[in-house]
Amino acid sequence: MPTVIRTRRAVVGDREHPCSVVLRDGRIAAIGAYDAPAPAGAEEVVLADDEALLPGLVDTHVHINDPGRTEWEGFATATRAAAAGGVTTVVDMPLNSVPATVDVAALEVKKKVAAEQISVDVGFWGGAVPGNLADLEPLWDAGVYGFKCFLAHSGLDEYPPLDREQMLAAMRTIAGFGGLLIVHAEDGPTLDAQPPAAGRRYAGFLRSRPPAAESRAVAQVLEGARETGCRTHILHLSDAGSLPLIAQAKADGVPVTVETCPHYLSLFSEEILDGATHFKCCPPIREASNREDLWRGLAEGTIDAVVSDHSPCVPELKKFATGDFAEAWGGISSLQLGLPIVWSQARRRGHTLTEVTRWMARGPRDLVGMTDRGEIAIGNVADFCVLAPDDAFVVFPERLHHRNAVTPYAETALAGVVRGTWLGGRPVGRTPRGRLLDRERTNP
């Protein structure tokens, strides 16, 4: 039986307009005028006048940590949080779980754990670490969307970084089969040369991870991509000073893309109190002026996507009792809140829902080549976010769906209430029915 959704406001392509969307067999069968006749026997759903229909968001940077550190986050809790935030597709990072996804055997373990408990569609990244060059192509053939590496210590000894020569070797290997390398771009030697973070002062933590660590790593990555031709993506950019270098590389035809995150677009260092380890992440949240430069990079198209970098942990690892930034785990939990965070900030700067959708659905989709989602278009999967953009709410951590009630957005008022999420033509409910994705399945 087909379904028709009628909405006074939908983001279709590069504009908003009233329309009706016909769903059949889990996909979008037709898009017509608001009052277009429904197919015979169709169920009709009419959205409220204050609701907008968006494509389901795609978040390509999520640390689910399952198996091995499920007490930090698991597939059941993370994907419920995603659905509550209008995110219908996530791609899981290869580290924080045990084993890390650095070979096909570890990927199969992760898929088996995830299979029966996901509420949205889930794909996987593989890892590029010292000594696993021979595992990269088999992982690619098994369906991962690309390979993550670090250029500085990851925080976990079981996931070591690559040095420059190891990165170049990985790039050459990955370019050989047309893959994608995604890079945590902070330069290890630069970080090692800084006074270490110690104690409760956020300013000390910020000095321990200066912009130079990012800019030097970004330059190294761009040089490697230029030399090898490897498709390369820079993760969670926080240093706006690197944007001119990235823009020039793009203009020169270097195959590079870049993302940033809601916390870099909303928070700023001047407001972070000493001891407030909720705000610790790597690379760090920088000054308000830097935040505005990131917004300009996004508006100009130098930044391609906005994704969460949802990286939770158990509360005790945040060291709230001492507030010590050196000891606290670095990571921001925002999978459920990403859209309202970005929309709250975007509307203040004159940006539209169409732009936000491009950054949070189409941009991440294009990064991993998911051709059947991220846009309301005929033939795409019928994944939607129903958003009330002019409604608002206050964040209460205990009401969030991720496993541990820790967030720097506690008691923050945000605009944009997600009132519903559709997956494969049906509203997301209590019964998990997400699919495990691989590159072939989402790129027929």
Side-chain angles (χ1 to χ4, degrees):
M1 181 182 296
T3 300
V4 177
I5 301 176
R6 300 190 190 278
T7 175
R8 295 291 181 185
R9 187 177 181 185
V11 174
V12 180
D14 289 321
R15 65 190 186 98
E16 295 180 30
H17 60 84
C19 68
S20 60
V21 183
V22 179
L23 319 180
R24 194 187 305 270
D25 298 326
R27 293 191 174 262
I28 299 171
I31 302 171
Y34 177 84
D35 56 358
E43 175 188 4
E44 295 200 38
V45 176
V46 180
L47 299 191
D49 288 345
D50 68 336
E51 294 176 342
L53 188 69
L54 314 182
L57 304 186
V58 179
D59 193 336
T60 52
H61 196 147
V62 181
H63 293 266
I64 294 180
N65 309 338
D66 199 1
R69 291 188 175 93
T70 312
E71 70 276 14
W72 295 20
E73 187 70 282
F75 283 103
T77 50
T79 58
R80 282 200 298 268
V87 177
T88 52
T89 302
V90 303
V91 186
D92 175 50
M93 282 291 167
L95 71 157
N96 296 6
S97 57
V98 181
T101 315
V102 295
D103 55 36
V104 172
L107 175 64
E108 293 306 317
V109 169
K110 183 163 280 196
K111 286 182 175 181
K112 184 176 180 180
V113 170
E116 302 301 323
Q117 54 176 329
I118 52 176
S119 295
V120 300
D121 290 351
V122 176
F124 302 94
W125 295 107
V129 297
N132 84 324
L133 280 179
D135 294 298
L136 300 182
E137 190 165 7
L139 274 166
W140 181 253
D141 292 341
V144 301
Y145 287 93
F147 307 91
K148 180 176 185 176
C149 74
F150 283 76
L151 302 184
H153 196 282
S154 69
L156 297 169
D157 291 339
E158 74 259 23
Y159 204 96
L162 302 181
D163 63 25
R164 181 181 182 278
E165 293 307 315
Q166 290 168 331
M167 182 194 74
L168 289 173
M171 284 181 160
R172 293 187 191 100
T173 298
I174 293 166
F177 53 77
L180 171 67
L181 181 68
I182 64 174
V183 185
H184 181 122
E186 288 185 285
D187 181 61
T190 301
L191 294 179
D192 292 341
Q194 307 308 311
R200 295 172 52 85
R201 297 207 58 200
Y202 184 77
F205 170 66
L206 191 59
R207 283 193 298 270
S208 75
R209 304 189 88 95
E214 277 193 87
S215 62
R216 289 169 187 167
V218 167
Q220 179 177 314
V221 170
L222 296 177
E223 180 185 350
R226 193 186 298 269
E227 177 181 330
T228 64
C230 180
R231 287 193 300 126
T232 306
H233 179 71
I234 296 168
L235 297 165
H236 47 46
L237 185 75
S238 84
D239 169 40
S242 297
L243 288 171
L245 193 62
I246 295 167
Q248 185 59 57
K250 287 187 168 191
D252 293 343
V254 177
V256 63
T257 51
V258 61
E259 68 184 41
T260 194
C261 305
H263 40 282
Y264 302 129
L265 295 171
S266 60
L267 306 174
F268 53 94
S269 62
E270 293 92 337
E271 71 175 350
I272 299 175
L273 300 177
D274 291 345
T277 54
H278 310 68
F279 292 84
K280 181 180 176 179
C281 58
C282 300
I285 295 160
R286 304 193 188 278
E287 297 79 6
S289 59
N290 180 83
R291 178 186 66 173
E292 298 312 309
D293 289 340
L294 288 174
W295 274 104
R296 280 188 282 274
L298 196 55
E300 293 167 0
T302 306
I303 298 174
D304 301 275
V306 179
V307 292
S308 68
D309 189 10
H310 179 72
S311 185
C313 66
V314 291
E316 52 266 30
L317 287 181
K318 278 292 187 180
K319 303 299 180 183
F320 295 135
T322 63
D324 191 327
F325 278 96
E327 296 182 356
W329 178 261
I332 302 288
S333 297
S334 65
L335 181 55
Q336 183 173 336
L337 299 173
L339 177 57
I341 293 166
V342 174
W343 173 237
S344 295
Q345 297 290 325
R347 65 189 302 182
R348 296 175 187 172
R349 294 165 175 81
H351 295 295
T352 65
L353 272 182
T354 300
E355 292 174 284
V356 170
T357 300
R358 183 170 70 245
W359 300 329
M360 302 189 75
R362 287 165 55 186
R365 170 205 70 181
D366 291 344
L367 167 66
V368 290
M370 292 180 174
T371 59
D372 66 348
R373 63 198 62 215
E375 189 171 5
I376 297 176
I378 294 173
N380 276 4
V381 290
D383 295 351
F384 306 107
C385 167
V386 178
L387 181 74
D390 298 322
D391 202 354
F393 68 103
V394 174
V395 177
F396 294 106
E398 64 273 13
R399 297 181 185 177
L400 298 176
H401 290 273
H402 63 258
R403 184 174 296 277
N404 295 292
V406 175
T407 175
Y409 297 99
E411 300 185 10
T412 299
L414 297 174
V417 175
V418 176
R419 293 189 180 161
T421 302
W422 291 57
L423 185 74
R426 291 186 289 158
V428 174
R430 293 182 178 275
T431 302
R433 56 181 183 84
R435 301 184 306 167
L436 295 180
L437 302 178
D438 60 44
R439 216 177 50 264
E440 297 302 320
R441 187 167 181 175
T442 51
N443 298 279

